[in-house]
Amino acid sequence: MLAQQRQQAILERVRRTGGVRVAQLVRDLGVSDMTIRRDLEVLAERGLIVKVHGGATATGTGSTEEPGFAAKSVRQQAEKEAIARRAAMLVRPGSSVALSAGTTTWTLAHHLVDVPELTVITNSVQVADVFHRAGRPDQTVVLVGGVRTPSDALVGPVAVAAVRSLNVDTLMLGVHGMSVRAGYTTPNLLEAETDRALITAAQQLVVLADHTKWGTIGISTIAALGEADVVVSDAGLPEEARAALSEHAGEVLLADPSGESALETAL
């Protein structure tokens, strides 16, 4: 395959799925890691893709843009891992916890499979699969029904009806963006409705959002900043965001992606 053909194939995959990983392209196209990285560099220089750590994602930042799960999974991996480790410390054995859809909550799920006697409610196919593969007999996992979105969330009236009949101790909510004006937002209207139902069902709301989410605004507001009991972000969160969250949210926890320590700001 010529370089131009290979790059076209990569571009078509990015546009179709929202994102690609270098390792997967190496296996699928049968070329070296260096070759794939050069191809991604060429496409990025032409403004056709956005290079991220370990791969590339589609371009575009509109309020209704909804990247697929694959696209989001290669973004801010170190930050999401640090956030997940810190958030997992908030979950007690024997409690009930709801996890919304998203790659940060999916990362968190990997840290919760070792929590004994946990009951998990989720509208994420990917999150449910993590617990299913772990196969712990002492954990109960409830996957609500609904219509599947590009981010592998189950949403709509079926999902909302299922969630409204439940009561959980804690909701771990992943968000597309957050700002003072718009609060916590998503680019999907139906997902916002389902997330709001999850908030109503939970005694405690914990928002998981890496620093890149600050200033990003999706078309639909899930909740105001002040509705979060805890916000777990990373040390890259800008000062203006820290000040705003400190003023509105109940508590802000900043995880260190280097793994050396967890910075905490209690409000």
Side-chain angles (χ1 to χ4, degrees):
M1 183 182 292
L2 299 176
Q4 187 174 0
Q5 295 173 314
R6 191 173 57 248
Q7 290 162 15
Q8 184 61 36
I10 293 172
L11 180 58
E12 290 175 357
R13 183 177 298 193
V14 170
R15 287 173 173 172
R16 185 176 67 253
T17 66
V20 292
R21 291 179 179 273
V22 170
Q24 187 63 51
L25 291 174
V26 168
R27 290 192 294 269
D28 293 349
L29 299 179
V31 294
S32 69
D33 180 281
M34 186 63 70
T35 296
I36 293 298
R37 293 185 185 278
R38 282 198 299 265
D39 288 339
L40 296 180
E41 189 68 39
V42 170
L43 293 171
E45 288 177 353
R46 293 166 59 191
L48 298 174
I49 63 170
V50 177
K51 284 188 66 181
V52 297
H53 179 71
T57 63
T59 58
T61 58
S63 66
T64 59
E65 178 209 0
E66 185 173 10
F69 187 89
K72 293 190 291 185
S73 68
V74 296
R75 299 176 180 175
Q76 283 72 51
Q77 291 173 315
E79 289 85 350
K80 291 174 182 177
E81 176 64 26
I83 290 169
R85 286 197 307 267
R86 185 63 187 89
M89 297 170 63
L90 303 176
V91 179
R92 303 183 309 277
S95 64
S96 58
V97 58
L99 274 69
S100 73
T103 52
T104 308
T105 49
W106 173 77
T107 304
L108 171 62
H110 290 81
H111 291 269
L112 296 183
V113 293
D114 294 326
V115 179
E117 300 180 352
L118 195 65
T119 297
V120 178
I121 313 298
T122 186
N123 68 322
S124 167
V125 176
Q126 298 283 353
V127 167
D129 189 57
V130 171
F131 291 98
H132 175 72
R133 291 177 182 275
R136 285 190 62 130
D138 63 329
Q139 290 185 336
T140 300
V141 181
V142 178
L143 176 63
V144 304
V147 178
R148 194 167 180 171
T149 71
S151 60
D152 284 348
L154 297 177
V155 301
V158 173
V160 170
V163 170
R164 283 177 176 166
S165 67
L166 302 172
N167 298 285
V168 297
D169 296 318
T170 302
L171 166 61
M172 298 292 186
L173 178 70
V175 298
H176 175 76
M178 55 182 177
S179 71
V180 173
R181 178 180 68 82
Y184 309 105
T185 62
T186 173
N188 189 295
L189 294 171
L190 289 177
E191 189 163 356
E193 182 184 20
T194 305
D195 286 344
R196 285 193 288 268
L198 286 168
I199 291 173
T200 301
Q203 293 185 33
Q204 180 186 45
L205 171 59
V206 179
V207 173
L208 312 182
D210 68 75
H211 69 276
T212 66
K213 304 297 178 65
W214 184 256
T216 298
I217 299 177
I219 194 171
S220 186
T221 294
I222 304 168
L225 288 188
E227 292 184 59
D229 297 293
V230 182
V231 176
V232 186
S233 189
D234 62 86
L237 192 69
E239 288 299 330
E240 62 174 292
R242 299 185 189 195
L245 289 170
S246 296
E247 180 182 351
H248 293 91
E251 184 178 13
V252 180
L253 304 178
L254 301 180
D256 184 359
S258 71
E260 294 178 358
S261 62
L263 308 175
E264 297 188 15
T265 303
L267 308 177

